Amino acid sequence: MRYGVSYYPEHKKPEEYQHDIRCIIESGINTVRMGEFAWCRFEPEEGNYCFDWLDEAVEAFGKHGIETIICTPTACPPAWMIEKHPDILYMDNRGIRRPFGGRRHYCYNNETYRKYSAKIAEAIGKHYGSNPYVAGFQIDNEPAQEGTGRCHCPVCQKKFQEYLKENYHTIEEFNERSGGIFWSQEYTHFGQIQIPVNSIEVGAIQQIEAFYENPTVRLEFERFASDSQIEYQNIQTQMLKKYTTKFVTTNATGLATNSIDYYKSTKALDTYAFDYYPGLRNTSVDSFPYAFARGVKEGKHFGVMEFMSGGGHRFSGSGRQQPNPGALKQAVFQSMAHGADLMLHFQYRTFPFGAEQLNYAIVDMDGIPRRRYYEMQETAALLKKIEPYEEARFVNEAAILVDYDVHWALRIKPVNDPDYHYLDYCGKIYHLLQKNGVGADVLSYDADWSAYKLIILPGAFLLKEAHRENLKAYVKNGGHLVATFLTGAKNGDNVGYTQSLPAGMQDVFGVTVQEVEPIFADNVATVRISVNGHEWESKDSDWCDLLEGTAHMIGTYADTYKKGCGVISENSFGKGTAYYIGTGLEPDVFGALLREIGRKAGVFKIPFALPENVEAVCRMLDDKKIYYLINFTQDQVEIPVPGQYQDLVSDQEIRGSIHMDAQGFAMLIEK
């Protein structure tokens, strides 16, 4: 596993630089990431490329076994370029140009900027592509972060119109499929179609309140902007790959913070990597982003390019709490347990200047090693110790399906906002499975899920016909499918199906949706559930799809006018079984229901009874299972374990039970 820090030699005075180099070497880490914001040093004037300042650091680290990830610096175009070409500046949804003075102030569709980006990527690839001390390359930095993923400039306007023409061919086809007759929005040519005024981009400020635009145009703009970012990224990918066989990636942010379809964006990349800043003080670290990351390139290892390093000040104010002693080491272990093969802390030493001044780091501005540094040193030693087990494979038999079109469609036309958010709901289901000892992968609608015993399809608001057919085939061939409310409401054009819901899937689920409504505080009702001799009651939440049909109703309403109406169904279809859960349930009840469905599907369960806030991951090496246990509580815990194991962390033999300290973790291999 590659483990290390982001480092910025271009910031340092000679004495600071020599001190940092020595301390980083002594820390035992094996990787540094450099260069992502240093275009003015790489190319101080047009066409004059300078690498001496970075060569020195690459060689100094490399001679001591520390590899470098070299970044292209395109997140920060230099002042000379903006002065010469002001048209490359980013324009937001209000029509405001982003001036020089921050970062990410460029339009990713601007041809002039694309040419400059290709040249700097080529120069870096040519210079470092075969350097033995270079591990790989990162393109740009956090693409589309901080509200820079939905440019509205004239270049983007024209390209968006061309994109629509390419996808719909004729304006008549577009008018028909988008429902342009509504509010007299039929066009006579593609040049009349404007970029939407409203934006779902994080942090966007709407230019016109209560301005409701065509949902098809809005979804197509999300797709177009995501594709444009990917196209821009791949220009650099192609340049780098001309000169290197080392890995090329970029660093994503969150699952959808920047609204780029990561399933598509990583196709030309060698690996998926993202930045993650969880709290590390008296709290669990959410592993749902890791499960998602593992599925982006369908089971391949992933990397974390920036990870929490400490507390104190923060980029955007308010600050962060310091991690508990041991929490950094525990969090790195957890990431490795979930499939990371790269983990870099941001950053090594606190910045004294610039917009990120005083930010959290492994060491403070004075550069003196303290507890976070020594914990990083311990972590590096631990990773070397357990390195032989890194290739253990995952054995999960359940998967949750996630789709960017669904996410975008539900942000464009929210359902019970802010109570219901699609990606949050997907995460809740993941955690309910995890709490019941069931590990789950997170996959795209286009992935191959045929080998999984249980597939969960949360809130599939937009469901294309091809995906419907794949889901049908999965159940028909013996799979167990769980879908929730909102399934199949709209087609791929973001237009509602005129069939009964769930559109095209009534035969699979054996139900037709009779009535729908959001669930607010004043219309909550009680649901009674009966499965395999187990009975539960729960208040409903989020949304309600009332169901009727030939399926067995395992959940019905117990009160209000809905009394006796079906809301949760079970239906045999071919060799498999399909479940439809028509409302939100209380966590304990929802978890119990999923547990019973998983049991019927024969899904593998971790054989330990885990206390609250203790996480377990199961992987397989050769024919032996490895259990990774992480205690996020602030208390000691005793966990009964059947059989005999060797703890690869402590080197102790484990029989009957394992004792874990606060912030403790273990790695048990079957004996």
Side-chain angles (χ1 to χ4, degrees):
M1 184 174 179
R2 291 189 170 98
Y3 179 56
V5 292
S6 299
Y7 186 61
Y8 301 87
E10 68 271 23
H11 295 179
K12 306 302 178 186
K13 297 175 182 176
E15 61 275 16
E16 293 176 328
Y17 173 72
Q18 294 302 328
H19 172 77
D20 287 350
I21 293 281
R22 185 174 65 254
C23 289
I24 290 173
I25 290 169
E26 291 173 358
S27 73
I29 64 171
N30 59 21
T31 309
V32 294
R33 180 186 71 136
M34 299 190 288
E36 77 268 31
F37 299 131
W39 199 334
C40 63
R41 292 293 172 89
F42 277 122
E43 192 178 6
E45 57 185 20
E46 186 172 355
N48 177 22
Y49 298 110
C50 179
F51 300 104
D52 293 351
W53 62 276
L54 188 56
D55 288 346
E56 183 181 351
V58 170
E59 186 163 339
F61 287 130
K63 285 181 176 179
H64 289 86
I66 300 174
E67 293 184 303
T68 296
I69 295 171
I70 302 285
C71 306
T72 66
T74 49
C76 291
W80 61 258
M81 189 186 300
I82 302 302
E83 183 179 39
K84 186 174 181 179
H85 302 285
D87 60 306
I88 72 174
L89 291 169
Y90 181 90
M91 180 182 286
D92 70 13
N93 62 306
R94 299 168 296 168
I96 297 175
R97 288 276 189 184
R98 185 162 294 198
F100 184 83
R103 62 175 174 177
R104 311 211 54 79
H105 42 280
Y106 66 79
C107 168
Y108 39 82
N109 275 318
N110 185 280
E111 287 302 322
T112 300
Y113 191 64
R114 287 186 169 195
K115 288 176 183 176
Y116 276 114
S117 298
K119 287 178 181 178
I120 190 67
E122 182 171 35
I124 286 173
K126 190 181 296 185
H127 188 82
Y128 290 110
S130 59
N131 189 307
Y133 299 143
V134 171
F137 297 86
Q138 174 191 301
I139 293 169
D140 205 273
N141 187 77
E142 297 183 339
Q145 186 72 351
E146 295 157 19
T148 59
R150 298 295 179 264
C151 186
H152 285 59
C153 77
V155 171
C156 291
Q157 173 69 68
K158 189 171 187 304
K159 285 198 71 170
F160 179 51
Q161 293 164 348
E162 293 168 352
Y163 168 89
L164 292 173
K165 186 174 183 178
E166 183 178 339
N167 283 277
Y168 289 88
H169 307 299
T170 68
I171 198 65
E172 291 78 16
E173 176 78 3
F174 177 79
N175 287 335
E176 175 67 24
R177 287 168 55 185
S178 68
I181 187 59
F182 190 82
W183 284 357
S184 193
Q185 289 177 8
E186 291 186 329
Y187 300 97
T188 56
H189 60 86
F190 286 100
Q192 294 173 335
I193 305 174
Q194 302 296 304
I195 288 177
V197 168
N198 290 301
S199 178
I200 63 173
E201 187 164 47
V202 174
I205 299 171
Q206 306 306 341
Q207 183 182 6
I208 306 172
E209 289 296 325
F211 186 70
Y212 302 105
E213 300 169 278
N214 185 296
T216 300
V217 176
R218 291 197 61 186
L219 179 59
E220 290 293 5
F221 182 63
E222 295 301 311
R223 291 167 170 163
F224 160 76
S226 175
D227 286 353
S228 296
Q229 294 273 358
I230 296 167
E231 190 178 85
Y232 169 72
Q233 166 194 289
N234 287 345
I235 290 170
Q236 296 190 53
T237 304
Q238 291 162 11
M239 283 299 180
L240 289 168
K241 285 185 173 291
K242 284 170 59 178
Y243 301 99
T244 191
T245 57
K246 301 174 189 295
F247 75 80
V248 177
T249 189
T250 188
N251 55 336
T253 55
L255 275 66
T257 306
N258 54 17
S259 284
I260 295 174
D261 184 337
Y262 294 141
Y263 294 119
K264 292 176 69 174
S265 72
T266 54
K267 288 187 182 300
L269 299 176
D270 298 300
T271 185
Y272 171 74
F274 71 109
D275 297 349
Y276 193 24
Y277 289 91
L280 297 178
R281 180 79 158 264
N282 303 336
T283 186
S284 300
V285 175
D286 183 2
S287 60
F288 182 59
Y290 295 142
F292 172 83
R294 201 168 55 243
V296 171
K297 290 187 76 68
E298 296 193 38
K300 285 190 176 182
H301 287 290
F302 60 89
V304 182
M305 281 291 184
E306 295 181 16
F307 189 75
M308 174 60 74
S309 59
H313 295 275
R314 187 180 184 181
F315 189 15
S316 57
S318 72
R320 293 185 190 271
Q321 292 181 332
Q322 292 289 355
N324 285 327
L328 282 177
K329 182 162 59 172
Q330 181 191 62
V332 173
F333 175 84
Q334 181 201 25
S335 75
M336 181 274 298
H338 282 279
D341 63 359
L342 165 71
M343 168 68 84
L344 305 180
H345 294 292
F346 182 85
Q347 54 173 309
Y348 177 68
R349 186 169 178 174
T350 296
F351 301 131
F353 43 61
E356 295 186 85
Q357 64 175 188
L358 311 183
N359 259 14
Y360 39 81
I362 290 295
V363 300
D364 299 316
M365 280 186 290
D366 58 10
I368 297 174
R370 296 186 176 92
R371 77 167 171 101
R372 297 189 303 275
Y373 172 89
Y374 294 116
E375 192 167 321
M376 183 177 77
Q377 196 173 50
E378 292 171 7
T379 305
L382 169 69
L383 293 174
K384 287 178 183 176
K385 179 180 180 180
I386 60 179
E387 187 177 36
Y389 306 93
E390 188 179 326
E391 292 306 315
R393 68 187 188 278
F394 286 85
V395 294
N396 296 330
E397 297 175 337
I400 300 166
L401 302 190
V402 169
D403 185 68
Y404 280 95
D405 278 345
V406 173
H407 166 68
W408 290 329
L410 281 166
R411 296 317 300 144
I412 291 166
K413 190 173 180 61
V415 167
N416 200 357
D417 190 44
D419 288 345
Y420 177 79
H421 280 187
Y422 169 65
L423 292 175
D424 290 346
Y425 191 71
C426 293
K428 287 176 184 177
I429 291 173
Y430 170 84
H431 292 300
L432 289 173
L433 291 171
Q434 185 182 59
K435 188 175 181 180
N436 282 285
V438 175
D441 294 329
V442 180
L443 304 173
S444 80
Y445 282 15
D446 294 313
D448 178 8
W449 356 283
S450 58
Y452 289 87
K453 294 180 178 178
L454 175 64
I455 292 294
I456 301 178
L457 183 72
F461 195 43
L462 185 154
L463 194 57
K464 298 175 183 176
E465 291 183 21
H467 294 144
R468 291 191 324 205
E469 294 309 309
N470 289 343
L471 290 164
K472 282 186 181 183
Y474 168 78
V475 180
K476 188 176 287 186
N477 291 328
H480 290 72
L481 172 66
V482 177
T484 76
F485 51 92
L486 300 175
T487 296
K490 299 206 276 187
N491 67 18
D493 296 325
N494 206 19
V495 169
Y497 282 113
T498 54
Q499 306 161 262
S500 296
L501 302 182
M505 300 284 284
Q506 301 99 314
D507 53 347
V508 179
F509 296 108
V511 297
T512 299
V513 175
Q514 300 296 303
E515 194 170 282
V516 303
E517 70 172 354
I519 303 301
F520 302 129
D522 61 354
N523 68 325
V524 171
T526 302
V527 176
R528 285 186 182 147
I529 304 168
S530 179
V531 179
N532 302 330
H534 300 278
E535 294 189 355
W536 309 283
E537 279 195 359
S538 172
K539 297 299 182 183
D540 62 359
S541 63
D542 299 321
W543 189 260
C544 169
D545 285 351
L546 287 183
L547 309 177
E548 190 176 281
T550 59
H552 174 47
M553 294 297 168
I554 59 175
T556 57
Y557 274 101
D559 52 20
T560 74
Y561 79 88
K562 301 175 186 176
K563 185 175 181 178
C565 293
V567 69
I568 305 174
S569 63
E570 178 183 28
N571 189 57
S572 295
F573 183 76
K575 298 178 182 177
T577 307
Y579 300 83
Y580 195 100
I581 301 175
T583 190
L585 301 170
E586 295 169 13
D588 287 349
V589 174
F590 197 4
L593 175 59
L594 291 175
R595 182 177 64 240
E596 283 305 306
I597 292 172
R599 188 188 62 77
K600 184 173 180 180
V603 171
F604 171 76
K605 250 188 88 176
I606 288 170
F608 309 146
L610 298 175
E612 192 75 20
N613 294 322
V614 175
E615 181 179 84
V617 179
C618 181
R619 292 167 68 174
M620 185 83 76
L621 187 67
D622 299 325
D623 60 344
K624 291 186 176 181
K625 289 188 176 70
I626 299 177
Y627 295 99
Y628 305 76
L629 302 179
I630 304 115
N631 176 22
F632 287 113
T633 74
Q634 300 312 301
D635 300 309
Q636 297 179 355
V637 295
E638 195 80 20
I639 302 173
V641 292
Q644 297 182 11
Y645 300 89
Q646 183 75 20
D647 182 0
L648 300 172
V649 174
S650 68
D651 295 322
Q652 293 180 343
E653 189 171 305
I654 305 298
R655 293 187 182 187
S657 67
I658 181 171
H659 174 87
M660 299 182 72
D661 291 330
Q663 304 289 164
F665 52 88
M667 188 173 170
L668 308 184
I669 189 167
E670 294 177 322
K671 294 195 72 175

